[in-house]
Amino acid sequence: GQPIKGIEYRVTMSGFPPPPNQRYPPPPGGQFPPPPGAPAPAGGQGGFPPPQRQMAPPPPAPGRGFAPPPPGQPQQLNQAMGNMSLQGGNRAPPPPGPPQPTMFTPAAPGRGFAPPPGGPAPGQFAPPPPAPGQPPAPAATPQFNQPSSFGPPAGGMKQAQPGFYGAPAAQQRPAAPAGPPAVGPGQPAPFQEQVDFSIQVPKRLCRFTAGKIPQTATMATSSKVPVGGILRPMAPCADEAEDVDVVQPGNAGIIRCKKCRTYINAFVMWMENGRRWRCNICAMLNECPSTYFCHLDEKGQRRDKDQRPELSKGVVEFVAPAEYMVRPPQEPSYFFVLDVTATAVRSGMLKSAAKAILDSLDDLPGQGRTKIGFITFDNSVHYYNLAPDLSAPQMMVVSDLKELFVPLPDHLLVNLNESRSVVEAFLENLPEMFAKRPVVSQSCLGPALKAAFTVMKQIGGKMCVFQSILPMLGDGGLRARENQSFMGTPNEIKLLRSEVPWYKETAIEFSRQQISVDMFIFPYQYMDLAALSELPKYTAGTLNSYVAFNAETDGPRFETQLNKALTQPIAFEAVMRIRCTKGMRISNFYGNFFIRGTDLLALPNCTSDSVFGFDLAHDDQNMPSQVVTVQAALLYTSSTGERRIRVLTQALPVTSLTSELIGSIDQEAICSLLSKQALDLGIKTGIDNARMRMQQTCVDIIRNAKGGDKRTVSGYSVPGPQAGQDEGEKEIPENLSLLPLYTLAMMKNVAFRGGTDVHPDERVQAMYTLNSMWVDQCRDFIYPKMFAIHGMGPEVGLPAPEGTDASNVAGREGTMLPQVVNLSIDRLTSDGIFLVDNGLQMSLWVGRQADPSVQQSLFGVASLEGVDMNQIKVNMTGDDFATRFGSVLLALREDPADEFVIAPKVSVVREGDQHMEARFFWFLIEDRASFQGGTHSYPEFMQFVNSAGGPGGPPGPGGAPPPGGPRGMPPGGMGGPPPPGQMGPPGQMGGPPPPGQMGGPPLQHGMMGGPPPPRGMGPPPPGPPRGMAPPPPRGMGGPPQPTGAPPAYGAPPPAPGPPMGGPAPSRMGAPPARGPPPAAGMPPPPRAAPGPPRAPAYGAPPPRGGPPGPPPAPSGYGAPPPPAGSGYGAPPPRRPPGGVAPPPPRGNMPPPPPPQYR
């Protein structure tokens, strides 16, 4: 057939409408003529009526408009339209019989509009352009099917029906609350989707860095906001929270998209009265099975929506049918690989492990199906026959590590119920089996892992590995590659990477056989955690280290952690995939897993502590949809042997305004994701680059938050109307007020801090811990809580009364907490006692003049002066004060949603103890630190962040670029430290301090690379000429300096003094070094590098002789030798007893987050 003149033909691609500028010119007169041969209607105004759209077209101008077709001509027109074909073919004539509904014949009531024969045609019709002087018609709606009937419903064309002109029913309803962005010329019109954004995934399961998604890739890049999320799919549920609904699929099975395999969810669009649904990930139309069919209501929603959790909630769990099983669900299996060398026996580790396993046997999941097995090793591998008919286990020793074999085919992995008596006998006798003649300093961990793998590979399960010395024998043997000269230099990254590929290859093979590894490390010397940690990393396990393990002080914490690892609910044989709407993609994953293919995360075990991060990136320049949906699906086997699929689906609106994107930021989630990104960057390029990335991201976000919305002209950003104001003077938005503080805390965290005093194994453990932390745990880890214990009122430690602020209570019983103070040495007083808790470890700082009665209650002595600190224990019971203090400690470890409580370990730090205080001051992140990028205090960093974003403000401390460079970008780009002689990030110029410079003075105010004084502060003290670094120090510590002298580089932060603007107070630290200053723009000359640390924490195993007992407690993990002088030992300034010192003035900075416990 021939095309009708004036009719527009367009082909839509991928279900989206063509650009609005691709239209044929209108015919003369602004209207379409009637078919050839048809007389014009009365009045001389002929034409076709326009098709109904989502919005009614504007009223026609006087004298113009659309008239109904002339009588007697629908047959001819219908024949012409039936002959039309966009494929070049001819349509068959309509079959004889009653007249069918056409464009001019109303459809029979209740019959609707039938699809065309052979499927929908890939075309659609466009309305004519409006009459002159009239506003343009709305953009065309997307079309997926082309109906064969174009007639309106009975009664005219006043109401569009589902399927009319190819528009789904959902598109005929009002648009979503989040309106579409402006569509420029040549851009495709987005879908008008109606989404119920009140349907949310609970915050305990998933948190996104921002509540809205940038419209374009350019906007996402310019805003500098890391778009992504943190996922905790198996998070525990609190008593008052709603648990995840379990859905038993019907005869139709689990409804999924045929193209992208997305699971049915609450955000799909239903059309054709419920016969079809459009996937919200790939936009494909799917048929609804007849057994799952339900009619739609007047709003276009299924009438059974509220009765189906998968259609009304953000998270749901399906019971998977048989087609989701590669093999039958296996029994929960637990296999223990225990180090029985002299170090493990004498430290008490072996005894504590046996006790924890024995106490956990009754609570192991599996309901009578649980299997268990053991292997021990020293310089040989020991198998154990646990047959149920034995009265005692039989040990079989294999000493040939090269030709390792399994001596017994059965009864190495046995049913716990059947062999319970044999298992208990083994665990009771295990501590004494190797106590008489233990093997010293020889460990064959690699062969033991291969032996355990041979036993477990048919079933899979959880493998718990206990190691106390560096493994050197057989496969996986490691060497002591610790090098003190690498510390604080770019070469330090070599110690954070594994140089042996054996552990990664073994972990991948374990993952393929559904074996997860939990490692418990008990180091007394270097153990190369960088290599060992690859086992839990790629098998979705955990890594826990207990430095210089002491059974008396560390035993309770280790036993409770092991008990939780064994008895908590576990998802076995799990895999997870994260999908997102077309136009976006998942660019990176963070956490412990092995990726199969490109996006399938293999998780042999997934627990309530399993946390994963992901980045969202634009796949196209412009998002075609106004809603981005992210769906995570976890397929796993429960401990009861049931295959399940947990599906989490979240819809996020798209915005074209930077202000809306900034206003939707979750600062805690963004810090958690940023830390995971920085860890990944740090391992690849170095710790210095990781710190710079975090700092630069914070500066960019704050600058964009102050800059407001910007429009784009020819690809360039043009400042908005408010750009004439000084961005440096604008206030930081409330939802970002703590972002600079959290960023500074991350930069000073043990995972990222510089210097030479962080042991490689300690850093690896901190990096692993931070990478697997949930959002709230990450916040507490980077910014700990500090409480004033000496000022505890009578109500502290008891259940809080009704109406108490939630930030002052903790635990399941709502225990009242002591007063919270900010993390600065300004808050420490010699007559006070302060507790710092970062969620993992607790430190109790005791002043020299603390109340003797309080010390008597907590330690059993009136004073800690002259007392052996290794013998001091904290009393958590006894008199009223000690009991209430113990209640506070337990409340800080309780999670209302988690039934497990990890026993707290408290390290007591006596004022003047140089070793312990040096590490305690690491927690005081609001003060200066002694490494590149950490020399800012909190006020100085706030000044740097504010000034770096201002177009005309002063250059920020060490981070401002030279004229002409990008604002806030360090010279040389974000990827590396600045070259010597140029301003770099906060800290010393030209790179990290050389070995031996730990005691050097920090940069003075006004020096290149040093921070400028905060607003309101008086002029800086005099210093070397600009561009010159300070002279090298003579040592770390010394008598107080004269007023106005710079503090020692590495000494504790300044003591409180007069308010900002007054004279600089005297500070603790070493006097300035003598000698001529170095050349301008150059760092201080290097000094002789000191030898390796000789602290008892490292380099010496437990004593060889005598009965088993705890080894001597260390002064710190890899701590440096005692500094020469008394800088750290000098008492902080004294204040009147009986209270907590008032906080120092903070200017226009936001307050620190004592109310962070919300």
Side-chain angles (χ1 to χ4, degrees), residues 710-755:
K710 294 181 176 61
R711 58 191 179 94
T712 302
V713 177
S714 300
Y716 294 91
S717 296
V718 179
Q722 70 275 26
Q725 305 176 10
D726 184 4
E727 294 181 5
E729 298 297 332
K730 295 180 182 177
E731 293 185 358
I732 298 177
E734 183 178 358
N735 65 314
L736 297 178
S737 59
L738 297 178
L739 180 62
L741 179 62
Y742 289 153
T743 303
L744 181 65
M746 286 190 292
M747 295 167 60
K748 296 182 179 181
N749 187 269
V750 64
F752 298 107
R753 65 182 295 114

Side-chain angles (χ1 to χ4, degrees), residues 518-540:
D518 288 351
M519 295 205 73
F520 299 87
I521 308 297
F522 306 84
Y524 294 93
Q525 55 188 358
Y526 178 73
M527 288 189 59
D528 199 355
L529 259 64
L532 298 177
S533 63
E534 293 192 333
L535 278 171
K537 177 180 179 181
Y538 292 102
T539 62

